[in-house]
Amino acid sequence: MNVAFIGLGIMGKPMVLNLRKAGHTVFVHGRRTESMTPLSEAGCTACQSAAEAASKTEIIIVMVSDTPDVEQVIFGDNGVIHGARPGAVVVDMSTISPTATRRFAETLRARGIEMLDAPVSGGDVGAINATLSIMVGGKPGVFARVKPVFEAMGKNIVHVGDNGAGQVAKACNQIVVAVTIEAVAEALTFARKNGVDPAKVRDALMGGFAGSRILEVHGKRMLDNEYTPGFRTRLHQKDMNIVMQTAKELGLALPGAALVMQHLNALMGTGGAELDSAAVMKIVERESGMERP
Ligand code: NAP
């Protein structure tokens, strides 16, 4: 199939390479010209604007940072909307606000253009290995049209519901990840303060109900006091901001998520923006005088 792909960062670049590997024809656009060079070398066609890339295909993927970035790429000067033809599908794979997503989908539909929200989890490793989990919102028929393209980039591909439902699922994912990171950090600090080896405690917990991927992966980072990302704190803070903003719009109390948001804020304020978000441990330790060098 012919696919346009806009946003060639940590996630976008390997996702494009996997689309090529699966035999799709890809028209790429990155706001820095040099970000397109390795993809041109891999056989993609470089386009000077999002509008130009969108004009070439019926499936237009966007993978940029935050809600205002998606809005700019779709509706701004030289944006997707200035090139996309009626009948095309805009597939936003960035993690952004569900409320804004529904608004974008309505505006596009008025122009005869469909939209899917299809945020991912699995990190850069999942993007490189084409094993991303993809959570999709939009019409079932549109999902069926785009599914072969998703299959080139991911493994666990779930149509969750109507427009915005994919972003809601991603926000749920981030709530579970954040609150579990907090729980693991508190438990391992509790062990250490009691004079008990936290590594042994982690081993003991892994086999029972408290076992999880977070205890395994993030717990190890906490034990090692080694926070090379992984998933950067500034991106996790962005995602929890989406969660808290949506909860505010709905009049919904999320006290656990709100608490972790404060710890992410503190981590950002103490120079941790580029660390893996498991470094919430550093804030938990600091609060109880348990810092490690
Ligand atoms: P990234 O490396 O920062 O890449 C973002 C890309 O979007 C960059 O190439 C950037 O261009 C481009 N961009 C941002 N704003 C733009 C704008 N207004 N106009 C045009 N281009 C713009 O981020 P990433 O890690 O690939 O993440 C992309 C999305 O996936 C985010 O929503 C993130 O939350 C989500 N995500 C990331 C991970 C992860 O582990 N990294 C996992 C799951 C989901 P420049 O290169 O010019 O800055």
Side-chain angles (χ1 to χ4, degrees), residues 210-257:
S212 69
R213 287 281 289 155
I214 303 289
L215 181 64
E216 184 189 340
V217 177
H218 298 71
K220 178 79 169 65
R221 289 174 190 159
M222 292 174 194
L223 289 175
D224 295 345
N225 203 19
E226 164 51 52
Y227 299 111
T228 306
F231 188 57
R232 290 176 208 284
T233 297
R234 67 176 160 79
L235 286 180
H236 209 154
Q237 188 202 37
K238 172 201 68 132
D239 293 356
M240 293 310 285
N241 192 41
I242 291 168
V243 167
M244 298 318 300
Q245 186 57 39
T246 308
K248 184 179 166 200
E249 288 163 13
L250 297 171
L252 181 69
L254 299 178

mmCIF file of all heavy atoms in Angstrom, residues 210-257:
data_model
loop_
_atom_site.group_PDB
_atom_site.id
_atom_site.type_symbol
_atom_site.label_atom_id
_atom_site.label_comp_id
_atom_site.label_asym_id
_atom_site.label_seq_id
_atom_site.Cartn_x
_atom_site.Cartn_y
_atom_site.Cartn_z
ATOM 1 N N ALA A 210 2.002 -9.722 43.459
ATOM 2 C CA ALA A 210 2.653 -8.417 43.286
ATOM 3 C C ALA A 210 3.622 -8.408 42.107
ATOM 4 O O ALA A 210 4.172 -7.364 41.762
ATOM 5 C CB ALA A 210 3.386 -8.021 44.569
ATOM 6 N N GLY A 211 3.820 -9.577 41.492
ATOM 7 C CA GLY A 211 4.718 -9.648 40.327
ATOM 8 C C GLY A 211 4.151 -8.870 39.151
ATOM 9 O O GLY A 211 2.939 -8.832 38.948
ATOM 10 N N SER A 212 5.019 -8.190 38.388
ATOM 11 C CA SER A 212 4.567 -7.452 37.201
ATOM 12 C C SER A 212 5.780 -7.134 36.343
ATOM 13 O O SER A 212 6.925 -7.250 36.790
ATOM 14 C CB SER A 212 3.883 -6.134 37.595
ATOM 15 O OG SER A 212 4.835 -5.227 38.118
ATOM 16 N N ARG A 213 5.534 -6.694 35.111
ATOM 17 C CA ARG A 213 6.625 -6.252 34.235
ATOM 18 C C ARG A 213 7.320 -5.032 34.848
ATOM 19 O O ARG A 213 8.522 -4.853 34.714
ATOM 20 C CB ARG A 213 6.076 -5.871 32.844
ATOM 21 C CG ARG A 213 5.661 -7.052 32.025
ATOM 22 C CD ARG A 213 6.856 -7.767 31.383
ATOM 23 N NE ARG A 213 7.454 -6.988 30.307
ATOM 24 C CZ ARG A 213 8.715 -7.112 29.919
ATOM 25 N NH1 ARG A 213 9.520 -7.954 30.527
ATOM 26 N NH2 ARG A 213 9.176 -6.389 28.907
ATOM 27 N N ILE A 214 6.536 -4.193 35.543
ATOM 28 C CA ILE A 214 7.114 -2.981 36.155
ATOM 29 C C ILE A 214 8.058 -3.391 37.298
ATOM 30 O O ILE A 214 9.164 -2.866 37.417
ATOM 31 C CB ILE A 214 6.004 -2.045 36.695
ATOM 32 C CG1 ILE A 214 5.024 -1.649 35.585
ATOM 33 C CG2 ILE A 214 6.616 -0.819 37.362
ATOM 34 C CD1 ILE A 214 5.524 -0.725 34.549
ATOM 35 N N LEU A 215 7.618 -4.358 38.138
ATOM 36 C CA LEU A 215 8.495 -4.820 39.218
ATOM 37 C C LEU A 215 9.771 -5.407 38.611
ATOM 38 O O LEU A 215 10.877 -5.173 39.114
ATOM 39 C CB LEU A 215 7.776 -5.878 40.070
ATOM 40 C CG LEU A 215 8.582 -6.430 41.251
ATOM 41 C CD1 LEU A 215 8.894 -5.341 42.274
ATOM 42 C CD2 LEU A 215 7.836 -7.585 41.944
ATOM 43 N N GLU A 216 9.606 -6.128 37.491
ATOM 44 C CA GLU A 216 10.764 -6.768 36.856
ATOM 45 C C GLU A 216 11.708 -5.716 36.241
ATOM 46 O O GLU A 216 12.873 -5.612 36.631
ATOM 47 C CB GLU A 216 10.243 -7.722 35.765
ATOM 48 C CG GLU A 216 11.313 -8.530 35.080
ATOM 49 C CD GLU A 216 10.745 -9.281 33.866
ATOM 50 O OE1 GLU A 216 9.520 -9.483 33.779
ATOM 51 O OE2 GLU A 216 11.564 -9.642 33.002
ATOM 52 N N VAL A 217 11.189 -4.915 35.306
ATOM 53 C CA VAL A 217 12.055 -4.020 34.516
ATOM 54 C C VAL A 217 12.412 -2.753 35.301
ATOM 55 O O VAL A 217 13.586 -2.416 35.468
ATOM 56 C CB VAL A 217 11.363 -3.664 33.178
ATOM 57 C CG1 VAL A 217 12.208 -2.673 32.381
ATOM 58 C CG2 VAL A 217 11.091 -4.932 32.358
ATOM 59 N N HIS A 218 11.390 -2.046 35.776
ATOM 60 C CA HIS A 218 11.640 -0.777 36.478
ATOM 61 C C HIS A 218 12.231 -1.040 37.863
ATOM 62 O O HIS A 218 13.078 -0.283 38.336
ATOM 63 C CB HIS A 218 10.360 0.048 36.566
ATOM 64 C CG HIS A 218 9.813 0.435 35.228
ATOM 65 N ND1 HIS A 218 9.238 -0.475 34.368
ATOM 66 C CD2 HIS A 218 9.785 1.618 34.585
ATOM 67 C CE1 HIS A 218 8.866 0.137 33.264
ATOM 68 N NE2 HIS A 218 9.199 1.413 33.358
ATOM 69 N N GLY A 219 11.791 -2.144 38.488
ATOM 70 C CA GLY A 219 12.346 -2.515 39.788
ATOM 71 C C GLY A 219 13.849 -2.751 39.686
ATOM 72 O O GLY A 219 14.621 -2.344 40.558
ATOM 73 N N LYS A 220 14.280 -3.364 38.587
ATOM 74 C CA LYS A 220 15.713 -3.610 38.380
ATOM 75 C C LYS A 220 16.455 -2.269 38.247
ATOM 76 O O LYS A 220 17.525 -2.090 38.834
ATOM 77 C CB LYS A 220 15.882 -4.469 37.110
ATOM 78 C CG LYS A 220 17.309 -4.773 36.713
ATOM 79 C CD LYS A 220 17.869 -5.905 37.593
ATOM 80 C CE LYS A 220 19.198 -6.461 37.096
ATOM 81 N NZ LYS A 220 20.288 -5.515 37.132
ATOM 82 N N ARG A 221 15.881 -1.357 37.462
ATOM 83 C CA ARG A 221 16.522 -0.037 37.309
ATOM 84 C C ARG A 221 16.657 0.643 38.674
ATOM 85 O O ARG A 221 17.668 1.291 38.961
ATOM 86 C CB ARG A 221 15.689 0.857 36.375
ATOM 87 C CG ARG A 221 15.759 0.394 34.930
ATOM 88 C CD ARG A 221 14.827 1.192 34.016
ATOM 89 N NE ARG A 221 14.782 0.533 32.719
ATOM 90 C CZ ARG A 221 13.825 0.679 31.807
ATOM 91 N NH1 ARG A 221 12.831 1.512 32.034
ATOM 92 N NH2 ARG A 221 13.863 0.030 30.668
ATOM 93 N N MET A 222 15.625 0.509 39.514
ATOM 94 C CA MET A 222 15.658 1.140 40.842
ATOM 95 C C MET A 222 16.745 0.497 41.709
ATOM 96 O O MET A 222 17.503 1.194 42.391
ATOM 97 C CB MET A 222 14.297 1.000 41.530
ATOM 98 C CG MET A 222 13.191 1.797 40.860
ATOM 99 S SD MET A 222 11.588 1.420 41.639
ATOM 100 C CE MET A 222 10.456 2.125 40.442
ATOM 101 N N LEU A 223 16.840 -0.833 41.683
ATOM 102 C CA LEU A 223 17.869 -1.523 42.476
ATOM 103 C C LEU A 223 19.256 -1.080 42.040
ATOM 104 O O LEU A 223 20.142 -0.848 42.859
ATOM 105 C CB LEU A 223 17.748 -3.044 42.305
ATOM 106 C CG LEU A 223 16.538 -3.712 42.960
ATOM 107 C CD1 LEU A 223 16.501 -5.197 42.599
ATOM 108 C CD2 LEU A 223 16.567 -3.539 44.473
ATOM 109 N N ASP A 224 19.436 -0.956 40.707
ATOM 110 C CA ASP A 224 20.747 -0.584 40.164
ATOM 111 C C ASP A 224 21.015 0.922 40.272
ATOM 112 O O ASP A 224 22.119 1.374 39.957
ATOM 113 C CB ASP A 224 20.845 -0.995 38.678
ATOM 114 C CG ASP A 224 20.798 -2.513 38.510
ATOM 115 O OD1 ASP A 224 20.973 -3.218 39.528
ATOM 116 O OD2 ASP A 224 20.566 -2.970 37.371
ATOM 117 N N ASN A 225 19.972 1.712 40.642
ATOM 118 C CA ASN A 225 20.096 3.177 40.677
ATOM 119 C C ASN A 225 20.603 3.695 39.325
ATOM 120 O O ASN A 225 21.468 4.563 39.258
ATOM 121 C CB ASN A 225 21.050 3.579 41.818
ATOM 122 C CG ASN A 225 20.814 5.006 42.294
ATOM 123 O OD1 ASN A 225 19.767 5.591 42.048
ATOM 124 N ND2 ASN A 225 21.822 5.570 42.958
ATOM 125 N N GLU A 226 20.033 3.136 38.246
ATOM 126 C CA GLU A 226 20.541 3.383 36.890
ATOM 127 C C GLU A 226 19.315 3.691 36.001
ATOM 128 O O GLU A 226 18.495 2.809 35.743
ATOM 129 C CB GLU A 226 21.297 2.106 36.437
ATOM 130 C CG GLU A 226 21.599 1.939 34.968
ATOM 131 C CD GLU A 226 22.284 3.145 34.349
ATOM 132 O OE1 GLU A 226 23.309 3.597 34.888
ATOM 133 O OE2 GLU A 226 21.772 3.632 33.324
ATOM 134 N N TYR A 227 19.206 4.949 35.584
ATOM 135 C CA TYR A 227 17.964 5.407 34.965
ATOM 136 C C TYR A 227 18.141 5.884 33.523
ATOM 137 O O TYR A 227 17.535 6.881 33.109
ATOM 138 C CB TYR A 227 17.328 6.505 35.835
ATOM 139 C CG TYR A 227 16.993 6.002 37.229
ATOM 140 C CD1 TYR A 227 17.695 6.458 38.348
ATOM 141 C CD2 TYR A 227 16.009 5.035 37.414
ATOM 142 C CE1 TYR A 227 17.401 5.985 39.624
ATOM 143 C CE2 TYR A 227 15.714 4.547 38.688
ATOM 144 C CZ TYR A 227 16.407 5.026 39.783
ATOM 145 O OH TYR A 227 16.112 4.546 41.036
ATOM 146 N N THR A 228 18.982 5.179 32.754
ATOM 147 C CA THR A 228 19.075 5.478 31.319
ATOM 148 C C THR A 228 17.727 5.117 30.683
ATOM 149 O O THR A 228 17.240 4.003 30.910
ATOM 150 C CB THR A 228 20.191 4.605 30.683
ATOM 151 O OG1 THR A 228 21.392 4.821 31.423
ATOM 152 C CG2 THR A 228 20.394 4.941 29.220
ATOM 153 N N PRO A 229 17.108 6.037 29.890
ATOM 154 C CA PRO A 229 15.786 5.686 29.317
ATOM 155 C C PRO A 229 15.949 4.679 28.170
ATOM 156 O O PRO A 229 16.980 4.699 27.496
ATOM 157 C CB PRO A 229 15.280 7.024 28.780
ATOM 158 C CG PRO A 229 16.505 7.867 28.594
ATOM 159 C CD PRO A 229 17.561 7.364 29.520
ATOM 160 N N GLY A 230 14.963 3.734 27.917
ATOM 161 C CA GLY A 230 13.631 3.712 28.468
ATOM 162 C C GLY A 230 12.680 4.826 27.989
ATOM 163 O O GLY A 230 12.743 5.290 26.872
ATOM 164 N N PHE A 231 11.833 5.139 28.898
ATOM 165 C CA PHE A 231 10.772 6.120 28.648
ATOM 166 C C PHE A 231 11.078 7.347 29.493
ATOM 167 O O PHE A 231 11.101 7.285 30.716
ATOM 168 C CB PHE A 231 9.420 5.497 29.008
ATOM 169 C CG PHE A 231 8.250 6.355 28.618
ATOM 170 C CD1 PHE A 231 8.070 6.764 27.296
ATOM 171 C CD2 PHE A 231 7.324 6.767 29.564
ATOM 172 C CE1 PHE A 231 6.987 7.553 26.929
ATOM 173 C CE2 PHE A 231 6.243 7.551 29.212
ATOM 174 C CZ PHE A 231 6.080 7.944 27.888
ATOM 175 N N ARG A 232 11.302 8.456 28.798
ATOM 176 C CA ARG A 232 11.782 9.663 29.473
ATOM 177 C C ARG A 232 10.706 10.260 30.392
ATOM 178 O O ARG A 232 9.523 10.271 30.061
ATOM 179 C CB ARG A 232 12.179 10.728 28.451
ATOM 180 C CG ARG A 232 13.435 10.370 27.691
ATOM 181 C CD ARG A 232 13.751 11.405 26.616
ATOM 182 N NE ARG A 232 14.475 10.785 25.526
ATOM 183 C CZ ARG A 232 15.758 10.455 25.558
ATOM 184 N NH1 ARG A 232 16.469 10.716 26.629
ATOM 185 N NH2 ARG A 232 16.337 9.871 24.542
ATOM 186 N N THR A 233 11.187 10.812 31.524
ATOM 187 C CA THR A 233 10.287 11.433 32.500
ATOM 188 C C THR A 233 9.448 12.534 31.859
ATOM 189 O O THR A 233 8.250 12.648 32.129
ATOM 190 C CB THR A 233 11.123 11.988 33.671
ATOM 191 O OG1 THR A 233 11.765 10.873 34.303
ATOM 192 C CG2 THR A 233 10.281 12.734 34.669
ATOM 193 N N ARG A 234 10.044 13.331 30.954
ATOM 194 C CA ARG A 234 9.264 14.445 30.378
ATOM 195 C C ARG A 234 8.092 13.925 29.538
ATOM 196 O O ARG A 234 7.028 14.540 29.510
ATOM 197 C CB ARG A 234 10.152 15.413 29.595
ATOM 198 C CG ARG A 234 10.761 14.877 28.341
ATOM 199 C CD ARG A 234 11.555 15.946 27.592
ATOM 200 N NE ARG A 234 12.493 15.348 26.674
ATOM 201 C CZ ARG A 234 12.158 14.864 25.481
ATOM 202 N NH1 ARG A 234 10.922 14.934 25.057
ATOM 203 N NH2 ARG A 234 13.067 14.310 24.709
ATOM 204 N N LEU A 235 8.265 12.771 28.903
ATOM 205 C CA LEU A 235 7.150 12.199 28.128
ATOM 206 C C LEU A 235 6.098 11.579 29.053
ATOM 207 O O LEU A 235 4.902 11.679 28.794
ATOM 208 C CB LEU A 235 7.657 11.149 27.131
ATOM 209 C CG LEU A 235 8.387 11.683 25.904
ATOM 210 C CD1 LEU A 235 8.845 10.536 25.007
ATOM 211 C CD2 LEU A 235 7.504 12.635 25.097
ATOM 212 N N HIS A 236 6.575 10.963 30.145
ATOM 213 C CA HIS A 236 5.607 10.388 31.092
ATOM 214 C C HIS A 236 4.807 11.514 31.752
ATOM 215 O O HIS A 236 3.589 11.406 31.948
ATOM 216 C CB HIS A 236 6.321 9.538 32.146
ATOM 217 C CG HIS A 236 5.465 8.423 32.667
ATOM 218 N ND1 HIS A 236 5.952 7.261 33.182
ATOM 219 C CD2 HIS A 236 4.117 8.304 32.727
ATOM 220 C CE1 HIS A 236 4.950 6.472 33.549
ATOM 221 N NE2 HIS A 236 3.826 7.100 33.281
ATOM 222 N N GLN A 237 5.486 12.632 32.074
ATOM 223 C CA GLN A 237 4.782 13.779 32.645
ATOM 224 C C GLN A 237 3.742 14.317 31.657
ATOM 225 O O GLN A 237 2.610 14.625 32.028
ATOM 226 C CB GLN A 237 5.784 14.877 33.020
ATOM 227 C CG GLN A 237 5.125 16.009 33.799
ATOM 228 C CD GLN A 237 5.901 17.306 33.718
ATOM 229 O OE1 GLN A 237 6.475 17.651 32.694
ATOM 230 N NE2 GLN A 237 5.924 18.038 34.806
ATOM 231 N N LYS A 238 4.141 14.393 30.350
ATOM 232 C CA LYS A 238 3.189 14.839 29.316
ATOM 233 C C LYS A 238 1.950 13.939 29.315
ATOM 234 O O LYS A 238 0.815 14.410 29.274
ATOM 235 C CB LYS A 238 3.870 14.806 27.946
ATOM 236 C CG LYS A 238 2.912 15.059 26.782
ATOM 237 C CD LYS A 238 3.437 14.535 25.467
ATOM 238 C CE LYS A 238 3.494 13.044 25.413
ATOM 239 N NZ LYS A 238 2.964 12.354 24.264
ATOM 240 N N ASP A 239 2.168 12.629 29.380
ATOM 241 C CA ASP A 239 1.043 11.686 29.329
ATOM 242 C C ASP A 239 0.166 11.786 30.577
ATOM 243 O O ASP A 239 -1.067 11.717 30.490
ATOM 244 C CB ASP A 239 1.555 10.245 29.164
ATOM 245 C CG ASP A 239 2.207 10.022 27.806
ATOM 246 O OD1 ASP A 239 2.195 10.964 26.983
ATOM 247 O OD2 ASP A 239 2.713 8.918 27.559
ATOM 248 N N MET A 240 0.794 11.959 31.753
ATOM 249 C CA MET A 240 -0.009 12.074 32.980
ATOM 250 C C MET A 240 -0.749 13.409 33.008
ATOM 251 O O MET A 240 -1.829 13.515 33.608
ATOM 252 C CB MET A 240 0.883 11.914 34.223
ATOM 253 C CG MET A 240 1.471 10.517 34.378
ATOM 254 S SD MET A 240 0.262 9.179 34.234
ATOM 255 C CE MET A 240 -0.576 9.308 35.812
ATOM 256 N N ASN A 241 -0.201 14.407 32.325
ATOM 257 C CA ASN A 241 -0.906 15.683 32.201
ATOM 258 C C ASN A 241 -2.181 15.495 31.372
ATOM 259 O O ASN A 241 -3.236 16.043 31.698
ATOM 260 C CB ASN A 241 0.027 16.714 31.551
ATOM 261 C CG ASN A 241 -0.534 18.103 31.648
ATOM 262 O OD1 ASN A 241 -1.083 18.482 32.669
ATOM 263 N ND2 ASN A 241 -0.438 18.849 30.572
ATOM 264 N N ILE A 242 -2.088 14.660 30.319
ATOM 265 C CA ILE A 242 -3.280 14.331 29.515
ATOM 266 C C ILE A 242 -4.312 13.627 30.408
ATOM 267 O O ILE A 242 -5.502 13.946 30.378
ATOM 268 C CB ILE A 242 -2.891 13.432 28.307
ATOM 269 C CG1 ILE A 242 -2.055 14.231 27.302
ATOM 270 C CG2 ILE A 242 -4.137 12.830 27.647
ATOM 271 C CD1 ILE A 242 -1.377 13.372 26.228
ATOM 272 N N VAL A 243 -3.840 12.682 31.217
ATOM 273 C CA VAL A 243 -4.731 11.948 32.133
ATOM 274 C C VAL A 243 -5.428 12.926 33.080
ATOM 275 O O VAL A 243 -6.668 12.909 33.236
ATOM 276 C CB VAL A 243 -3.924 10.897 32.945
ATOM 277 C CG1 VAL A 243 -4.744 10.353 34.110
ATOM 278 C CG2 VAL A 243 -3.438 9.763 32.040
ATOM 279 N N MET A 244 -4.643 13.805 33.739
ATOM 280 C CA MET A 244 -5.213 14.694 34.761
ATOM 281 C C MET A 244 -6.137 15.731 34.143
ATOM 282 O O MET A 244 -7.165 16.088 34.720
ATOM 283 C CB MET A 244 -4.093 15.378 35.568
ATOM 284 C CG MET A 244 -3.178 14.444 36.358
ATOM 285 S SD MET A 244 -3.986 13.079 37.230
ATOM 286 C CE MET A 244 -5.076 13.934 38.338
ATOM 287 N N GLN A 245 -5.776 16.226 32.956
ATOM 288 C CA GLN A 245 -6.607 17.220 32.268
ATOM 289 C C GLN A 245 -7.955 16.595 31.886
ATOM 290 O O GLN A 245 -9.013 17.204 32.077
ATOM 291 C CB GLN A 245 -5.858 17.708 31.017
ATOM 292 C CG GLN A 245 -6.534 18.844 30.264
ATOM 293 C CD GLN A 245 -6.776 20.068 31.129
ATOM 294 O OE1 GLN A 245 -5.944 20.435 31.948
ATOM 295 N NE2 GLN A 245 -7.946 20.693 30.971
ATOM 296 N N THR A 246 -7.914 15.359 31.382
ATOM 297 C CA THR A 246 -9.148 14.675 30.978
ATOM 298 C C THR A 246 -10.007 14.397 32.208
ATOM 299 O O THR A 246 -11.236 14.573 32.180
ATOM 300 C CB THR A 246 -8.813 13.358 30.232
ATOM 301 O OG1 THR A 246 -7.897 13.655 29.184
ATOM 302 C CG2 THR A 246 -10.053 12.717 29.639
ATOM 303 N N ALA A 247 -9.362 13.988 33.318
ATOM 304 C CA ALA A 247 -10.106 13.734 34.565
ATOM 305 C C ALA A 247 -10.794 15.017 35.038
ATOM 306 O O ALA A 247 -11.948 14.995 35.484
ATOM 307 C CB ALA A 247 -9.161 13.203 35.637
ATOM 308 N N LYS A 248 -10.095 16.143 34.886
ATOM 309 C CA LYS A 248 -10.676 17.435 35.296
ATOM 310 C C LYS A 248 -11.904 17.757 34.442
ATOM 311 O O LYS A 248 -12.954 18.145 34.962
ATOM 312 C CB LYS A 248 -9.596 18.519 35.143
ATOM 313 C CG LYS A 248 -10.027 19.870 35.622
ATOM 314 C CD LYS A 248 -8.903 20.868 35.460
ATOM 315 C CE LYS A 248 -9.421 22.283 35.614
ATOM 316 N NZ LYS A 248 -8.514 23.253 35.008
ATOM 317 N N GLU A 249 -11.769 17.552 33.115
ATOM 318 C CA GLU A 249 -12.894 17.820 32.208
ATOM 319 C C GLU A 249 -14.114 16.985 32.585
ATOM 320 O O GLU A 249 -15.249 17.414 32.447
ATOM 321 C CB GLU A 249 -12.496 17.482 30.754
ATOM 322 C CG GLU A 249 -11.517 18.468 30.125
ATOM 323 C CD GLU A 249 -10.834 17.892 28.871
ATOM 324 O OE1 GLU A 249 -11.280 16.855 28.347
ATOM 325 O OE2 GLU A 249 -9.832 18.492 28.432
ATOM 326 N N LEU A 250 -13.867 15.752 33.069
ATOM 327 C CA LEU A 250 -14.956 14.818 33.361
ATOM 328 C C LEU A 250 -15.448 14.906 34.804
ATOM 329 O O LEU A 250 -16.414 14.244 35.170
ATOM 330 C CB LEU A 250 -14.486 13.375 33.083
ATOM 331 C CG LEU A 250 -14.111 13.054 31.634
ATOM 332 C CD1 LEU A 250 -13.474 11.676 31.546
ATOM 333 C CD2 LEU A 250 -15.342 13.120 30.731
ATOM 334 N N GLY A 251 -14.750 15.686 35.653
ATOM 335 C CA GLY A 251 -15.100 15.717 37.075
ATOM 336 C C GLY A 251 -14.813 14.397 37.749
ATOM 337 O O GLY A 251 -15.632 13.851 38.493
ATOM 338 N N LEU A 252 -13.641 13.844 37.456
ATOM 339 C CA LEU A 252 -13.289 12.499 37.922
ATOM 340 C C LEU A 252 -12.105 12.591 38.884
ATOM 341 O O LEU A 252 -11.118 13.267 38.584
ATOM 342 C CB LEU A 252 -12.896 11.683 36.683
ATOM 343 C CG LEU A 252 -12.506 10.230 36.835
ATOM 344 C CD1 LEU A 252 -13.722 9.400 37.213
ATOM 345 C CD2 LEU A 252 -11.935 9.713 35.518
ATOM 346 N N ALA A 253 -12.203 11.906 40.036
ATOM 347 C CA ALA A 253 -11.097 11.898 40.996
ATOM 348 C C ALA A 253 -10.141 10.751 40.685
ATOM 349 O O ALA A 253 -10.578 9.606 40.569
ATOM 350 C CB ALA A 253 -11.639 11.741 42.412
ATOM 351 N N LEU A 254 -8.868 11.071 40.529
ATOM 352 C CA LEU A 254 -7.838 10.032 40.337
ATOM 353 C C LEU A 254 -6.715 10.302 41.336
ATOM 354 O O LEU A 254 -5.625 10.754 40.962
ATOM 355 C CB LEU A 254 -7.279 10.082 38.902
ATOM 356 C CG LEU A 254 -8.237 9.835 37.724
ATOM 357 C CD1 LEU A 254 -7.491 9.985 36.402
ATOM 358 C CD2 LEU A 254 -8.839 8.439 37.818
ATOM 359 N N PRO A 255 -6.960 10.049 42.642
ATOM 360 C CA PRO A 255 -5.968 10.453 43.647
ATOM 361 C C PRO A 255 -4.622 9.760 43.484
ATOM 362 O O PRO A 255 -3.581 10.383 43.721
ATOM 363 C CB PRO A 255 -6.643 10.095 44.974
ATOM 364 C CG PRO A 255 -7.813 9.235 44.637
ATOM 365 C CD PRO A 255 -8.199 9.502 43.227
ATOM 366 N N GLY A 256 -4.615 8.496 43.085
ATOM 367 C CA GLY A 256 -3.337 7.789 42.913
ATOM 368 C C GLY A 256 -2.519 8.410 41.795
ATOM 369 O O GLY A 256 -1.337 8.731 41.959
ATOM 370 N N ALA A 257 -3.165 8.622 40.658
ATOM 371 C CA ALA A 257 -2.469 9.220 39.505
ATOM 372 C C ALA A 257 -1.984 10.634 39.851
ATOM 373 O O ALA A 257 -0.891 11.038 39.448
ATOM 374 C CB ALA A 257 -3.405 9.245 38.301
#
